[in-house]
Structure formats: C-alpha cells, structure tokens
Amino acid sequence: MPELPEVETTKRGIEPWLLNQRIERVVVRQPQLRWPVVDELKLLEGQTVRGLSRRAKYILVETDIGTAIWHLGMSGSLRLVEPSAPAGKHDHIDWQLGNGKVLRYHDPRRFGALLWIEPGTDSDHLTHLGPEPLSDDFTAEYLFRRSRGKSQAIKTFVMDGKVVVGVGNIYANESLFLAGIRPATAAGKISLARYERLVSEIKQVLARAIEQGGTTLRDFVGGDGKPGYFAQQLFVYGRGGEQCKVCSSVLKEIRQGQRATVYCPACQR
C-alpha cells in the first residue's frame, strides 16, 4: 500500500496543478469507498484551493469553506489527466480544475477515502496521531520515554500511528536493519543510544524515499504519473531467504502483526 513517501510524492506531484486553482466540478462515480463520500463534497464546486498539506498518509486540500481529505488506502492513486481521457472501471472521483486538467482518483480495491471537515473542526482520523517522523518532535528521547515498560516488539511499536505516523512496513524493516536492531526486540528494552540511531535511520530512509519518488509497489503511481525507484535500494524488505547485502548471511522472514518482517540474524541484534 502507499506509505508516507508515496503519499508525500503524490502531494508534491499534484500541488503545482491544484494550488490557487478553482474546482469547477466534482464528479463522483462511486461513493462507496472505505467510508461513504459525503454530499458536502459537492460544495467544493466553485471553490479555490488555498493550500495542500500532508498529515500521516492523508492529503489535506484546503478551501475557504472546508478541507477535503484524501486517503489512498491500499491501492489508490491521484493522477492529473486531460478532460478527454476516458474514465476507467476503477476511476471513482474526478475534480475538474480551472486550468483544464482533471484530478482523477483511481482505486481498484476501494479502501481509500475522500473525507470532509468544516473550518475550525478536527477530523477524528487525525486527532489521535503521533508526531511526523521528519519533524523535530520525533526524537530519540521521545521514543525512549514512550517505550518504557513496553513488551511490544520494536517493529510494531514504531508502526503504531499513535506513537509516530507514517513508518509503514517497508520503512520499518529497512530502518531497523540499518540501525542493527532485531524487529522482535521488546521496545522497552532498547537503550536511549540505540534509539538515537534508530530515529536517525528512520528519518534518513524516509527522506531518501521521498527524494526518489517513493517505492513502486503493485499499481502505485505518483501524482505526476511517474513511479518511484526506492525499491532498488531495499536491503531487507521482500528479500527473505536471500543473502544480506552487507554480510552475506541468509535473511530470515517472520510474521509480525500479520505482516512480513525480514531481518539479518548477523547484522541485527
């Protein structure tokens, strides 16, 4: 599924085409997404996009009358197309823009969503979230403090959106490998010094992935129609049973929280 770098890539890809543009028409072909598309979203017609931002894996599109919130789910993508481009089976929502382009939401599995909040209100989907991983609020001291007394495995701990947002399965695998920490280690048993390295690696891995356009998985395509290439640099994710690129040991694969976890038994302790 699209993770934080892919969502950030999408936001950056569509932002130049949406910012300060008038939304001329909203076309909803399929209102039954992860959460039903509410009627209030038709109020966007005639509104100008005042700002775009990202919170966790949500893209927020601000107007004078409220904020539309996109979530790409497991297979969703936002693409800019020409008005003449025919809509496919899984093209569920179009925003026709004043510049002649169409922002099209494509989602085969329909696990994504388009939400709506009025000015001065908060979304229940956002209020419980932890800090952004690339922000100054996400520090080793913060993780160390939150982890005290936790027997939860470190991988599932850093993937908890209430602890820190956007560290999905791919990037948790990679960051733990680079930090030399086994993913099953109890979060409460990790020292401050090791958290210093882990936080540093999380920030670097995510920053590199954003810079390179996200990781191409299944049918994800960025807002500009170009896939990302970070997958070429993955050390462990999806490589169970293969040789470690650092020490040549055989990488082990286990299941944690119904997700595949790959690690090196020699490099990670």
Side-chain angles (χ1 to χ4, degrees), residues 187-252:
K189 293 185 177 180
I190 295 175
S191 68
L192 177 59
R194 300 193 84 193
Y195 271 123
E196 290 278 3
R197 182 170 179 188
L198 178 58
V199 167
S200 176
E201 296 296 351
I202 288 173
K203 289 177 180 283
Q204 290 185 57
V205 165
L206 290 173
R208 286 199 303 272
I210 290 170
E211 181 181 349
Q212 297 176 40
T215 304
T216 300
L217 288 176
R218 296 188 176 92
D219 54 356
F220 172 77
V221 178
D224 60 358
K226 298 177 182 177
Y229 298 99
F230 189 72
Q232 296 177 5
Q233 298 188 7
L234 297 176
F235 282 95
V236 289
Y237 180 82
R239 299 189 62 242
E242 298 180 25
Q243 284 190 328
C244 175
K245 294 181 180 180
V246 174
C247 73
S248 297
S249 297
V250 176
L251 299 176
K252 291 190 175 182

Side-chain angles (χ1 to χ4, degrees), residues 3-204:
E3 296 194 19
L4 185 149
E6 287 79 20
V7 178
E8 179 66 21
T9 298
T10 296
K11 194 271 290 185
R12 294 184 184 187
I14 66 176
E15 187 169 23
W17 300 93
L18 263 69
L19 195 58
N20 299 320
Q21 288 298 317
R22 180 184 169 98
I23 301 172
E24 301 289 355
R25 189 178 175 210
V26 175
V27 178
V28 179
R29 300 184 189 87
Q30 174 54 267
Q32 298 302 317
L33 302 178
R34 183 174 181 180
W35 299 285
V37 178
V38 298
D39 293 337
E40 286 85 347
L41 283 158
K42 290 290 286 184
L43 298 174
L44 286 171
E45 294 184 344
Q47 293 298 309
T48 298
V49 176
R50 303 298 185 189
L52 273 80
S53 59
R54 179 193 53 76
R55 180 70 172 108
K57 298 180 185 179
Y58 296 89
I59 297 174
L60 285 68
V61 182
E62 302 166 27
T63 72
D64 292 335
I65 64 167
T67 300
I69 304 175
W70 290 100
H71 192 286
L72 302 181
M74 295 185 70
S75 60
S77 64
L78 287 167
R79 305 171 187 176
L80 287 151
V81 300
E82 298 296 332
S84 59
K89 176 181 178 181
H90 302 300
D91 293 334
H92 303 312
I93 300 174
D94 280 359
W95 286 3
Q96 296 182 8
L97 306 173
N99 57 14
K101 296 291 185 180
V102 171
L103 179 70
R104 177 161 291 170
Y105 180 64
H106 176 87
D107 190 352
R109 297 190 182 185
R110 287 195 285 157
F111 285 168
L114 178 57
L115 309 170
W116 175 257
I117 55 174
E118 296 180 351
T121 62
D122 294 322
S123 169
D124 292 340
H125 299 278
L126 305 179
T127 53
H128 68 284
L129 296 175
E132 290 284 332
L134 297 177
S135 72
D136 292 339
D137 293 330
F138 181 57
T139 65
E141 290 79 7
Y142 164 78
L143 266 192
F144 181 76
R145 184 175 67 253
R146 286 291 304 263
S147 68
R148 294 308 87 189
K150 298 282 188 182
S151 59
Q152 182 182 11
I154 183 59
K155 179 172 176 253
T156 56
F157 179 68
V158 298
M159 287 182 63
D160 185 345
K162 295 179 181 178
V163 175
V164 57
V165 301
V167 185
N169 195 36
I170 302 170
Y171 304 105
N173 273 277
E174 293 299 301
S175 299
L176 287 165
F177 171 78
L178 293 168
I181 299 172
R182 285 203 182 185
T185 303
K189 293 185 177 180
I190 295 175
S191 68
L192 177 59
R194 300 193 84 193
Y195 271 123
E196 290 278 3
R197 182 170 179 188
L198 178 58
V199 167
S200 176
E201 296 296 351
I202 288 173
K203 289 177 180 283
Q204 290 185 57

